[in-house]
Amino acid sequence: MLKGKIDYLKKTTNEDGVVAALAIDQRGSLKKMLAADGRDDANAIVEFKELASEELTKYTSAILLDPEYGIPGMKVRDSSCGLLTSYEKTGYDATEKGRLPDLLPTYSVKRLKELGADAIKILLYYDVDEPADINDIKHAFIERIGSECVAEEIPFFCEFIAYDDTIPDAKSYEFAKVKPHKVIETVKEFSKSRYGIDVLKLEVPVNMDYVEGFNHGNEIAYSREEALNYFKQQSDATKLPYIFLSAGVSTKLFLETLKFAHEAGAQFNGVLCGRATWREGVEPFAKNGEEAGREWLQTVGRKNVETLNKVLKDTAVSLFDKLS
């Protein structure tokens, strides 16, 4: 790996070489959450991101923000906190087949670096079972961004969300059954050096709501042993550093999932934790204003982050061990 990339990675990790990062680059989904609680304006998105950055980056190794609404948040982050920036447009064009990605039109890796980024993040919706002509577009798309990041010597974090358009409900039992295959095969594909990815940002390979012992009355899609095996398969599928995303689950379930991954022997290198950290703070902010939101972040939000940091101390391994 280029020395410049390693130097930047050090800015995004904690003293253990682990990514303990806060993700708040949500745009469309955050707008819906705020609107549901009575704040249906663009300023609310900017203000909440800024508030979360100001209050929570004292306890995180990095923060992920978008340049559309997150620049004020970038400016108030703690001086010890690294910055990851989103490069893709939010969502995808639902009128086209294949959930094809697109970039923010007025940004480039060079411009995001000039904005202060320590790493570039891309989200890609990917189905290994899509027709080759669709996936080839996505492969070329990631190759281009990888080349940009090499040219600028800045780390490339790539996030993958599995899907299957024949199973519309990604939270269903039916999708839970196919998810391990889709997630693990995606890891294998994008671990190839041609893509220039430095850190994989991954979903866990199962839906924990259908794991024996975690299912709370739901139908069981995987025994406990099967689920542990899928976590190990995912880890063994790559030599790249990888981190987990929280995927909007509760804080409690996310922490339990990290412990489960560790039990499986998964060699993961941290997290980019989003809504599991801050989603419950949206309501007091939207309904009662900045001070109510700040109080929630200073108390419950801080506790969520510090509890997560303690779990990472016991479960995650140094990213730099893999690079060496």
Side-chain angles (χ1 to χ4, degrees):
M1 182 181 285
L2 296 167
K3 182 181 182 300
K5 288 195 176 198
I6 292 174
D7 290 342
Y8 275 116
L9 280 174
K10 289 176 180 176
K11 296 181 180 181
T12 68
T13 53
N14 64 20
E15 66 277 5
D16 297 319
V18 167
V19 177
L22 174 69
I24 190 162
D25 67 325
Q26 291 82 353
R27 284 155 277 180
S29 60
L30 179 55
K31 184 176 182 180
K32 289 176 184 175
M33 281 188 268
L34 287 161
D37 288 318
R39 283 292 303 271
D40 191 11
D41 61 279
N43 285 340
I45 304 174
V46 175
E47 291 168 15
F48 186 77
K49 288 174 185 278
E50 185 175 11
L51 199 58
S53 178
E54 184 178 7
E55 292 300 335
L56 296 181
T57 55
K58 305 162 192 173
Y59 318 107
T60 64
S61 70
I63 186 170
L64 170 62
L65 285 162
D66 59 281
E68 292 177 283
Y69 300 101
I71 291 177
M74 296 176 191
K75 293 177 180 177
V76 298
R77 76 186 194 278
D78 191 81
S79 59
S80 66
C81 180
L83 175 64
L84 297 91
T85 57
S86 299
Y87 187 15
E88 80 282 352
K89 287 183 180 178
T90 188
Y92 54 85
D93 185 352
T95 65
E96 286 192 49
K97 181 174 172 56
R99 305 193 188 190
L100 298 176
D102 200 2
L103 299 177
L104 295 170
T106 58
Y107 285 94
S108 63
V109 171
K110 182 182 288 291
R111 291 183 180 194
L112 292 171
K113 187 176 177 181
E114 289 171 346
L115 198 61
D118 298 310
I120 303 300
K121 169 259 173 183
I122 284 287
L123 165 63
L124 184 72
Y125 291 91
Y126 192 77
D127 178 5
V128 296
D129 302 309
E130 280 275 29
D133 60 332
I134 289 175
N135 281 345
D136 201 36
I137 293 170
K138 296 180 180 182
H139 295 163
F141 178 82
I142 297 300
E143 288 166 8
R144 285 188 209 104
I145 296 159
S147 295
E148 270 196 271
C149 290
V150 168
E152 294 297 330
E153 290 198 35
I154 192 168
F156 178 15
F157 285 57
C158 200
E159 173 181 358
F160 301 95
I161 301 294
Y163 70 94
D164 186 327
D165 279 336
T166 69
I167 308 174
D169 185 0
K171 296 182 179 180
S172 67
Y173 171 85
E174 290 72 23
F175 187 75
K177 291 294 290 183
V178 301
K179 183 178 180 181
H181 156 71
K182 292 185 182 292
V183 170
I184 292 167
E185 292 305 313
T186 297
V187 172
K188 290 178 182 177
E189 174 62 38
F190 288 97
S191 293
K192 295 174 182 175
S193 60
R194 67 179 299 116
Y195 297 110
I197 296 168
D198 299 296
V199 180
L200 300 166
K201 183 184 176 191
L202 302 178
E203 300 176 275
V204 300
V206 298
N207 184 330
M208 295 298 290
D209 288 335
Y210 298 96
V211 175
E212 179 187 14
F214 292 84
N215 57 310
H216 301 295
N218 292 328
E219 189 174 359
I220 294 173
Y222 344 83
S223 69
R224 198 173 190 283
E225 291 71 23
E226 286 172 330
L228 287 166
N229 186 47
Y230 285 134
F231 274 92
K232 187 65 166 62
Q233 285 184 46
Q234 179 187 43
S235 185
D236 291 346
T238 185
K239 293 183 179 178
L240 291 176
Y242 73 95
I243 60 178
F244 285 126
L245 58 103
S246 59
V249 303
S250 69
T251 305
K252 182 176 183 291
L253 179 56
F254 189 54
L255 297 177
E256 290 175 349
T257 303
L258 296 180
K259 294 173 185 176
F260 192 81
H262 177 66
E263 181 184 344
Q267 299 294 293
F268 67 98
N269 308 105
V271 297
L272 251 170
C273 186
R275 287 165 287 178
T277 300
W278 50 257
R279 68 182 300 167
E280 293 174 10
V282 170
E283 182 177 357
F285 168 79
K287 289 185 176 179
N288 301 312
E290 178 184 328
E291 286 310 308
R294 187 183 299 277
E295 182 182 0
W296 187 94
L297 290 164
Q298 288 175 342
T299 53
V300 182
R302 175 179 175 175
K303 182 181 177 183
N304 287 345
V305 173
E306 291 181 332
T307 303
L308 175 60
N309 288 341
K310 289 177 183 176
V311 171
L312 288 174
K313 192 87 173 172
D314 295 331
T315 58
V317 298
S318 172
L319 175 153
F320 300 102
D321 289 349
K322 291 185 178 177
L323 297 183
S324 64

